[in-house]
Amino acid sequence: MTSPAPAALHAARIHPTALVEDGAQLGINVEVGPFCHVGPQVQLGDNVRLMSHVVIQGCTTIGEGTVVFPNAVLGCAPQNIHYKGEDTELIIGRSCTIREGVTMHPGMPDFGGKTTVGDHSIFLAYSHVAHDCHVGSNVILSNNVMLAGHVTIGDRVIMGGGAAVHQFVRIGHHAFIGGLAAVNNDVIPYGMLNGNPGILMGLNIIGMQRSGFSKSDIHEVRRAFKAIFNPTTPIRENIARVREQTDNNAAVVDIIAFIDAESERALSSPARGQRG
């Protein structure tokens, strides 16, 4: 029996019921399962797997090793009344897991035209990433998480089921968002937010420990957190004092830089309605 040619071993495997339109670019060892539809501007990296009934449209790029479960819809037109069919992009990184019914939309032309997702992130069933969102790497969006347009999510953020994020909100890296939380304002790196409306409950200590923070570093961040959100004085004054006292702790520096950055939204705090 003749062995298959090397090229055949690495060719894309496309189920007879799938539709891959002319122009789509498929890497080696790509698998397109039953009843999938891949549009003409789509690029699938090596070893991408589309299980079944997956729809991928528009200028969508999916990085190598990403697995997409049934009924996910990626790259279709943004849910925005101002979208007029422009060629904007959805870019998904490497080794992501996109579960059943997940939806992700490309950007809008007036805001850079890109929605981006980093590497090794997990999107559980029916979570939604709207236009112009920028999601980092090693992020977990649990079932039914909803990101409105223009949301920015840092690396290693975990969001509990049913959480909803307002337009233009920033969530800093290593933050934890509780299930069913309403995230109306920015959440600092390492922050833990719960409730509706969302209240900053403290720090994501478990996440910091898993990321290798020492006890002394965690204690220093805790002290800075209490000082920054001291309710007796304005946050800006508190930050100035913390900046003078910190010994270049990287996590504290990140938190201060996050608060100092320009933003469309106010800052989530331990006091409901308190603003920076």
Side-chain angles (χ1 to χ4, degrees):
M1 181 176 179
T2 303
S3 299
L9 293 174
H10 301 292
R13 299 182 299 280
I14 302 172
H15 193 275
T17 62
L19 172 60
V20 178
E21 297 192 48
D22 290 342
Q25 299 180 36
L26 277 58
I28 62 173
N29 289 325
V30 168
E31 180 179 342
V32 181
F35 301 103
C36 293
H37 184 183
V38 179
Q41 296 173 290
V42 172
Q43 298 181 45
L44 304 181
D46 297 345
N47 301 304
V48 167
R49 182 185 178 200
L50 312 181
M51 286 192 174
S52 72
H53 296 85
V54 174
V55 176
I56 307 179
Q57 294 292 309
C59 300
T60 298
T61 301
I62 300 181
E64 62 179 291
T66 288
V67 179
V68 187
F69 281 68
N71 299 306
V73 180
L74 309 174
C76 286
Q79 296 175 145
N80 187 308
I81 60 173
H82 301 294
Y83 181 71
K84 305 301 181 185
E86 298 90 346
D87 280 341
T88 55
E89 295 181 80
L90 168 63
I91 301 171
I92 300 170
R94 298 177 293 111
S95 301
C96 292
T97 299
I98 300 173
R99 294 299 304 244
E100 297 85 352
V102 168
T103 50
M104 297 184 184
H105 292 160
M108 291 289 293
D110 293 342
F111 293 92
K114 288 184 180 180
T115 300
T116 61
V117 171
D119 302 330
H120 304 285
S121 290
I122 300 173
F123 300 85
L124 299 187
Y126 301 100
S127 54
H128 174 65
V129 179
H131 60 87
D132 303 289
C133 286
H134 299 289
V135 180
S137 296
N138 297 288
V139 170
I140 300 175
L141 267 57
S142 298
N143 298 64
N144 300 298
V145 167
M146 297 169 284
L147 305 185
H150 312 282
V151 168
T152 300
I153 307 288
D155 295 343
R156 298 189 181 279
V157 168
I158 297 176
M159 301 192 64
V165 186
H166 194 283
Q167 288 181 333
F168 293 100
V169 160
R170 299 175 301 142
I171 299 179
H173 60 83
H174 290 83
F176 180 89
I177 309 299
L180 302 177
V183 189
N184 298 318
N185 297 313
D186 292 346
V187 181
I188 61 170
Y190 312 102
M192 177 178 289
L193 183 136
N194 285 290
N196 183 356
I199 300 174
L200 193 63
M201 308 298 290
L203 295 169
N204 181 17
I205 301 299
I206 293 176
M208 296 175 75
Q209 291 171 339
R210 288 174 176 171
S211 294
F213 280 76
S214 67
K215 287 184 178 180
S216 60
D217 282 340
I218 291 173
H219 287 321
E220 186 168 350
V221 178
R222 274 176 161 163
R223 286 193 294 269
F225 178 89
K226 291 178 181 178
I228 290 170
F229 293 103
N230 178 354
T232 63
T233 48
I235 286 179
R236 296 299 170 184
E237 292 182 15
N238 296 340
I239 287 175
R241 283 191 289 271
V242 170
R243 186 181 282 113
E244 293 174 357
Q245 296 168 3
T246 187
D247 189 23
N248 292 321
N249 180 285
V252 176
V253 170
D254 281 351
I255 291 171
I256 292 174
F258 181 91
I259 296 171
D260 283 342
E262 291 186 10
S263 178
E264 298 283 341
R265 305 298 299 169
L267 184 67
S268 297
S269 78
R272 184 173 293 162
Q274 181 174 325
R275 295 176 181 266

